[in-house]
């Protein structure tokens, strides 16, 4: 079965653009989350726990540093594997 090469090539540009969009959106939301306490739980409460959504968003943004390269290079390897297989099967026809 033939896989269209653009399917495995467009992500090279689109994936970083998507991640950049996500990070910019989170960054833009940070002041609002900090100001309103959105989704945060403060002490005291009946469960005796606290949760700071602002901190979670910061941690999510930081987590992109080690995770994005791993995912991106995995996709590049998958691309190479599929396109190499596709090229080999074309040669055999």
């Amino acid at each position: 079965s033939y896989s269209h090469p653009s399917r495995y090539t467009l992500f090279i540009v689109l994936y970083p653009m998507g991640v950049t969009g996500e990070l910019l959106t989170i960054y833009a939301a940070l002041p609002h989350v900090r100001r309103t306490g959105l989704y945060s739980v403060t002490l005291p409460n009946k469960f005796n726990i606290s949760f700071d959504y602002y901190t979670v968003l910061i941690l999510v943004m930081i987590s992109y540093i080690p995770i994005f390269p791993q995912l991106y290079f995995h996709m590049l390897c998958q691309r190479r594997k599929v396109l190499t297989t596709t090229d080999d099967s074309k040669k055999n026809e």
Side-chain angles (χ1 to χ4, degrees), residues 13-86:
V13 174
L14 295 178
Y15 192 50
M17 285 175 54
V19 168
T20 302
E22 289 176 22
L23 290 171
L24 289 173
T25 303
I26 294 170
Y27 182 76
L30 286 175
H32 176 72
V33 171
R34 163 77 43 107
R35 187 175 56 255
T36 63
L38 185 69
Y39 302 126
S40 296
V41 178
T42 58
L43 290 172
N45 60 55
K46 68 180 182 178
F47 299 111
N48 202 30
I49 61 165
S50 66
F51 175 77
D52 185 21
Y53 187 54
Y54 180 85
T55 303
V56 170
L57 290 177
I58 298 286
L59 292 173
V60 166
M61 290 176 71
I62 291 169
S63 74
Y64 274 87
I65 295 168
I67 293 173
F68 173 75
Q70 288 179 354
L71 294 175
Y72 192 73
F73 289 119
H74 172 73
M75 289 294 293
L76 286 174
C77 289
Q78 293 300 103
R79 175 183 182 269
R80 186 179 314 117
K81 194 182 308 181
V82 168
L83 293 181
T84 301
T85 303
T86 302

Side-chain angles (χ1 to χ4, degrees), residues 2 5 80-93:
Y2 175 71
R80 186 179 314 117
K81 194 182 308 181
V82 168
L83 293 181
T84 301
T85 303
T86 302
D87 290 343
D88 291 346
S89 64
K90 277 182 161 179
K91 289 176 187 174
N92 292 334
E93 291 177 357

